[in-house]
């Protein structure tokens, strides 16, 4: 059993309206010093067996086909330590 | 300038319908070996200045008041290395 994390974020050139809304709300709530916020998705994938290269390759394929829209989103795959 | 990451996930005891839907879709798409998926949110917060204890304390307050619903969600704050 291992846990693999897939983080999916909008590509930098894509407008992130949710992140901008958060960044604009912060000063009203009394928080200063934040220049930008971007919002994305985090997936925790529990795999049977070890997080070896085969398993990570499978998770990358899942990210490409199901978890991320690679036209507008980038993803990263990491093993939770 | 530093980037602080806030990960927000449903508490373990809260049903994650989106994660379950993904986990159930995987075998149909030809992926085996995944026992569970949980979906959450990831926020990348760009702060002016260093990610010192004061800044992290501010980000934790943001997470409590704006980014997470602490009744049903847990959050973690990490500095991006």
């Amino acid at each position: 059993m291992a846990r693999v994390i897939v983080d999916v974020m909008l590509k930098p050139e894509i407008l992130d309206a949710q992140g901008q809304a958060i960044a604009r709300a912060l000063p009203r709530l009394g928080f200063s010093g934040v220049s930008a916020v971007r919002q994305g998705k985090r997936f925790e994938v529990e795999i049977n067996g070890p997080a070896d290269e085969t398993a990570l390759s499978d998770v990358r394929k899942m990210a490409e086909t199901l978890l991320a829209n690679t036209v507008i989103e980038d993803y990263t795959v990491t093993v939770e330590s």
Side-chain angles (χ1 to χ4, degrees), chain A:
Chain A
M1 285 284 291
R3 176 177 289 179
V4 182
I5 308 298
V6 181
D7 287 316
V8 177
M9 300 298 292
L10 283 170
K11 287 179 191 280
E13 65 270 26
I14 306 286
L15 176 72
D16 176 3
Q18 282 182 303
Q20 285 192 353
I22 293 164
R24 279 201 288 258
L26 288 173
R28 270 190 283 122
L29 293 166
F31 296 105
S32 59
V34 171
S35 57
V37 178
R38 287 185 79 78
Q39 178 172 353
K41 285 174 278 186
R42 173 188 166 93
F43 299 93
E44 296 181 351
V45 180
E46 307 277 349
I47 57 175
N48 306 321
D52 53 15
E53 203 31 67
T54 313
L56 291 182
S57 162
D58 265 8
V59 174
R60 272 185 224 107
K61 263 182 255 163
M62 279 173 218
E64 298 253 351
T65 54
L66 180 64
L67 304 179
N69 174 355
T70 55
V71 177
I72 57 167
E73 290 170 328
D74 290 326
Y75 66 89
T76 58
V77 173
T78 48
V79 180
E80 191 169 78
S81 49

